[in-house]
Structure formats: structure tokens, C-alpha cells
Amino acid sequence: MAERIEQRLEDRLPELEQLERVGLLSRAEMRAVLRKASALEYKIQRRALRKEDFINYIQYEINLLELIKKRRARIGYSFKKDEIEHSILHRVHSLFNRATGKWKDDVQLWLSHVAFCKQWNAKHQLSKVFSTMLAIHPNKPALWIMAAKWEMETRLSSESARHLFLRALRFHPECPKLYQEYFRMELMNAEKQRKEKKEFEKAKMDLGEFNYSEEILNGEMARIVYRDATQKIKGVEFQLAVLSIAKLFDFTQDLQKEILENLQSNYTEEPLTWDYMARRELELGGAQQPPGQSTKQQKVSEMAQREERCCAVFDEAVGAVPTEDMWKCYITFCLERYNRKTNSEELKQKRLERTLSVFNKAHECNLLPEALYKQWLQLLLESNLSEKALEVAEAATRRFSLSMETWQTRLQVLIQLQREDVTQCFEEAVKHVKSKGTLPLWTLWVEWSEGTNSKEDTEALYQRSLRATTPAESVTMKEMYLDWTYRHGGYKKVKRLFTSLCENRPFSLDFFRKMIQIEKEQESCKMLHLREYYERALREFGSTDTDLWLDYIKEELSHPQGKPENCGSIHWRAMKMLQGDLVEDFISKYTLLQTGHL
């Protein structure tokens, strides 16, 4: 092994001597490079190889290349690249090949090699990397697409790209993304040939030796790809994706027409089809607008007409496909238009009225999705339609009586409008919704009660919430109860409450920390009480929280009534209770505390 390493280091000497001779490295730097290279070589020649050693070696060589590049730019020297950079690049490729040969399944390692080849313009090597990588990972469509794109965009070889896509489709015959990118590639190739032909004709060159097929120029290859794809891939999403690609090219009108006809004939029951057809009216309107200057009023009128045409299509759609998804598409469109900025108050008012009308129609058909009720209510409140908002909120809770989110939304509306029947609605909500997951309702209720009801009613509500919520959710209520009691009842009352709440698990760490903080805020802060709170907290969280132990030790050291001699026993207990890596974490932090750095 040593002889092999020595040989590799000797092979480096010519390039290093060249670097020193031309002034890109000093002699001391050359020796440092040799020492580092020797250490790295020994690591990758061991019997038990590690991926990290190869990565570190590769990164070192890349850093060396970057350093040489910067120094060349600084001194303005651009010769001897074959003797210097070429040998380093060859070594990096060799390291990548060994690493990817050993850890074939590591896709990130392959991609790193690809990125390196691209960075240093190693086209021939990159072609080999793609070939080997795809032979090992043929099950990853993204890699095939990457390779084909490189062939098309960098090597300008449409034949190679087409060959790769066809090979990929043999492995993934029903992959939508592969077909989409293959379709895009054929259109890009057609566009490239059209531009070339146009330039040649402009230069009045003879096109006899160039074979420009009219079928390819008109996108017939892309049409073949599309037709083949539609036989294997069903679904409106794929059709829309292909159509959006075709619209990027200005010579695909016939192809777009074919895709559109296919969409309308085979996917009439799909909401996305209707959504596309409706939104298309906006673009068609833009295309039909006559050239020349137009006044603001004319522009507003034109936009209003386009939106009316869109809504006419949507109205037809909800009649033909009366589903929640269809109404959701319609409402989403209306909200998008309403949220668009406009200086015309008339247009904005039209959009608002249309949106509220569509919400109402969907609601009357019992096809308004639950998530959209909240947006409807926000819109009604913004428009100062309070009574309608109350009516809608009540109807939503009737329809989704088991949904906590819907009840929460209704209660927020009632609270915002300061209605008298808030308590009655809360009672109705907790009756309908199961106890699990009702925490947001209870937090909303007690927060409202704090600002509205008497202290006695609020305290009774807190007590009730502890019984009504699940043990895990009651933890949050305990924290809120403790904080509210301290603010409204003072120290003595909160101390009694804390003792009472400690009788029922579970607890949170913040529950104990809150009580510790309350004690420390008192003028006569007693260490005896702090010890009690810390001990209670450590019984619950002593095995999982290092900071709690450290805070306890700090308290003993800094409090006037503290006993520093207790720190040793606290440290010993912490070492016994903490689990796994937390012991090392505690030791390091305790050491920092002793040295005054924590």
C-alpha cells in the first residue's frame, strides 16, 4: 500500500513543480499540498473504506483548483493548463469513479460528479457519467430527464436527447413527467430548426444541403409524442400540463387545438377542464382587443366583459358538474379576481357582489366546502354585512356540526360582533364536538371570559375546562389557569392553585417554570419554595432536560438563601437520571458553568 501511495505522490510532482515555476504556489505551499495529499491518500487506501474520506479528498482537490484559478486571474497567467489543471481534473474524476463504484446507490454522489463535470466543462467525461449512472439507476425518471436536457441544451444533440427519452420510456412507460419533457424537447428542437432556416433564408443561402423536414418544423414529432402519451396516461392534469407547454411556442396552434378538443371530448366531467375553459376567456378577450390607445374606462369595461364571459362558463360548469370541487374552482376564481388591485371602484364592487353571490349559490346547493366558509365570513365582515355573517356562521355549524374549526369560526364571529349569545354558542359547541381536539374552543372561551365575565365565572370555567379536555390538552389549560390566577388573585392564591393542580398529571415544563418565575418575582423570594418547585419539576422532567438541572444549580449558587454545598448532590443526581447523550451534554454545560462561561 505504501509503495502505491508513494507512486501517486510522485505522479503529483510535475504539476507541483510547474505551479512553483510559474509562481502560482510557493515552495512552502507545495510541501503543504504534498503533506495533505499524503494523509488523504492513506485514508482512501485503507481496507475499511469510508465515503467521507473520498468526499474530503475530492473537496480538497476542488479547493486547490479554485485557488489556482483565482491566482491565475490575479497574476494574469493563462498557460500550462494541460500540465497543471488537466492532471488535477483527471485525479478528481478518478476519485469520483472509485467512490461511485463503491457506493453505487448514493445518488447524491453521482449528482456531485455531474455538477463537477458541468462546472469544469468536462463534456466527454459527463457523457460517460450519465451513461453509467443511468445503467445503475434506471428507476429514477428525474435522472433520465437531466441527462436528456443536457444532451439537448448543452451538446445541442436532439438525436441523443430523443434516444435517451425513448430508453427512459421503456423503463417508465406511464410517467407523465417524462412525456411532458419529451414533448417539450421536440418542440424546442422544432423551434431551433425554424430559427436556423429563417436565418439561412435571410442570408439568402442555398438550403439544398440542409434537410429541414416540414413535419418536424411544424411540431409533428411533438404531436406523435402527445398521441402516444394519451393512450397510456389518463387524467386531465396531464392534458393541461402538455397544453401549457405547447402554448409557449408560437407555431403550435393546430397542436393546441387538438389537445383542447381532446380535453373537451374526454374530460367534460372534470372540474379542472371547466376551470381551464372558463379562465381561457380572459386570454381570448385580451387577444381580441383592438390595437391602439384606449381610455381607462374602456379598459375597465373590457375587463368586466371578459370576467362576465368567464363566469358564464363557470355557471354552465356548475350546472353540468354539480360537485364541491367545481364550486371550489368557481369561488377560487372569483376570489382571485376580487383580490386583484384596481383603481375602479365600480369594477371592485362588481367583483365583490359576484363573489358573494357565488358563495351564496354554492351554500344553497349544499356544495360549499367547509374550508371556504371561513373566507366567506371574512368577506361578509369586511363588507359590514354582520347579520348575513351570523346567518352563514349558524348554517355552517348546522351542516358541519362535528367540526371544531367551524364552531371556532362561528364563535370568533360572535365575539367580534359582541353578541350576547356567545356563552350559549360555546355550550352548544362543546356538546357537539368530541372532547378530543377541543382545546382551541376552550382556550377561546376562557380568553373571552377573562375580558367579559366575572372572576368567579372565569375560574369556574377554568375548572370545567380541566375536566372536559383530554389529559394531554389539559396541560395547556393548567398553564393558562396558573397565569390568570396570578394576575387576578395574587401570590398566595396561585401557590394554593399550584399545589392543587400538582395532584393531577400530566404537566408541562413551562407549568413549573411559570411557578418558579412567579416565586422569583416576589420581594421575599424563598429558596425553600424554589427548591420545592424544582424538585417537583425534576420528578417529571429530570431524565430529559439538562437545562433544568443547571438552572437548579445556578439558583443554589446565586440565591441569598442558597446552599452551594448542595450543588454536588444535585450534579450526582443529574448524572444518574439523565438518559443517553444528555449526560455528555450536561457535563459540558456544567464545566462551562464552573469556569464562568455559562
Side-chain angles (χ1 to χ4, degrees), residues 115-128:
F116 176 76
C117 292
K118 286 180 178 179
Q119 184 182 359
W120 292 95
N121 201 29
K123 293 182 181 178
H124 181 68
Q125 187 67 33
L126 182 53
S127 190
K128 289 182 179 178

Side-chain angles (χ1 to χ4, degrees), residues 196-314:
E196 284 178 2
K197 186 181 178 184
K198 189 177 179 182
E199 290 298 320
F200 286 143
E201 288 173 346
K202 191 184 291 184
K204 297 181 180 178
M205 291 178 63
D206 182 18
L207 297 177
E209 59 187 277
F210 301 103
N211 183 21
Y212 287 111
S213 166
E214 283 299 320
E215 290 185 344
I216 292 177
L217 292 175
N218 293 329
E220 284 301 314
M221 292 294 288
R223 192 189 300 272
I224 292 168
V225 173
Y226 166 70
R227 287 176 179 173
D228 183 47
T230 52
Q231 292 174 7
K232 296 171 184 174
I233 301 171
K234 306 299 177 186
V236 67
E237 293 85 358
F238 176 74
Q239 299 287 334
L240 291 173
V242 172
L243 185 56
S244 66
I245 293 169
K247 286 171 70 176
L248 299 173
F249 301 87
D250 57 8
F251 57 90
T252 59
Q253 283 78 14
D254 291 342
L255 183 55
Q256 289 180 47
K257 187 178 177 183
E258 181 179 333
I259 299 169
L260 205 55
E261 287 173 358
N262 192 9
L263 196 65
Q264 289 175 303
S265 60
N266 297 326
Y267 300 98
T268 51
E269 297 299 313
E270 292 287 345
L272 286 176
T273 303
W274 286 98
D275 185 55
Y276 175 80
M277 297 305 297
R279 290 172 182 270
R280 188 162 164 265
E281 292 296 326
L282 283 176
E283 301 169 17
L284 293 176
Q288 292 166 6
Q289 188 173 352
Q293 294 293 325
S294 60
T295 64
K296 287 183 180 179
Q297 188 58 39
Q298 286 175 329
K299 287 181 179 179
V300 168
S301 176
E302 172 66 22
M303 180 57 70
Q305 287 173 17
R306 283 190 238 165
E307 289 179 5
E308 287 297 332
R309 290 199 296 271
C310 292
C311 290
V313 177
F314 271 120

Side-chain angles (χ1 to χ4, degrees), residues 3-36:
E3 292 85 354
R4 193 184 305 132
I5 292 171
E6 288 300 319
Q7 183 61 48
R8 288 179 184 276
L9 294 175
E10 285 179 17
D11 292 342
R12 277 177 169 270
L13 287 175
E15 76 195 51
L16 290 171
E17 288 170 356
Q18 286 281 15
L19 284 166
E20 185 189 9
R21 192 177 299 121
V22 300
L24 292 172
L25 284 182
S26 66
R27 179 167 288 273
E29 288 173 328
M30 188 180 83
R31 288 173 180 164
V33 169
L34 274 174
R35 282 196 303 272
K36 183 68 175 176

Side-chain angles (χ1 to χ4, degrees), residues 354-399:
R354 182 192 302 126
T355 306
L356 292 175
S357 171
V358 173
F359 267 120
N360 200 52
K361 287 175 185 175
H363 168 65
E364 288 173 355
C365 296
N366 284 329
L367 291 172
L368 182 63
E370 181 186 350
L372 291 177
Y373 272 99
K374 189 170 185 178
Q375 293 187 51
W376 188 12
L377 288 166
Q378 286 174 348
L379 204 57
L380 289 168
L381 292 172
E382 286 171 12
S383 307
N384 296 319
L385 299 170
S386 306
E387 292 302 319
K388 181 65 177 176
L390 291 169
E391 181 188 323
V392 169
E394 186 179 351
T397 51
R398 276 202 306 272
R399 186 172 166 211

Side-chain angles (χ1 to χ4, degrees), residues 43-60:
K43 286 183 178 179
I44 66 165
Q45 296 297 338
R46 293 185 299 198
R47 185 169 295 173
L49 297 176
R50 294 191 322 140
K51 192 195 304 180
E52 291 74 17
D53 295 331
F54 279 89
I55 292 170
N56 290 337
Y57 199 170
I58 289 166
Q59 189 58 54
Y60 179 74

Side-chain angles (χ1 to χ4, degrees), residues 450-487:
E450 285 178 18
T452 310
N453 294 343
S454 64
K455 291 181 183 178
E456 292 76 14
D457 290 343
T458 302
E459 185 164 11
L461 191 58
Y462 269 116
Q463 292 283 355
R464 183 180 166 190
S465 71
L466 294 176
R467 296 190 298 272
T469 51
T470 60
E473 292 176 337
S474 69
V475 167
T476 305
M477 298 310 302
K478 286 175 185 175
E479 292 173 26
M480 293 178 68
Y481 192 6
L482 200 70
D483 183 58
W484 176 82
T485 304
Y486 178 57
R487 283 187 282 113

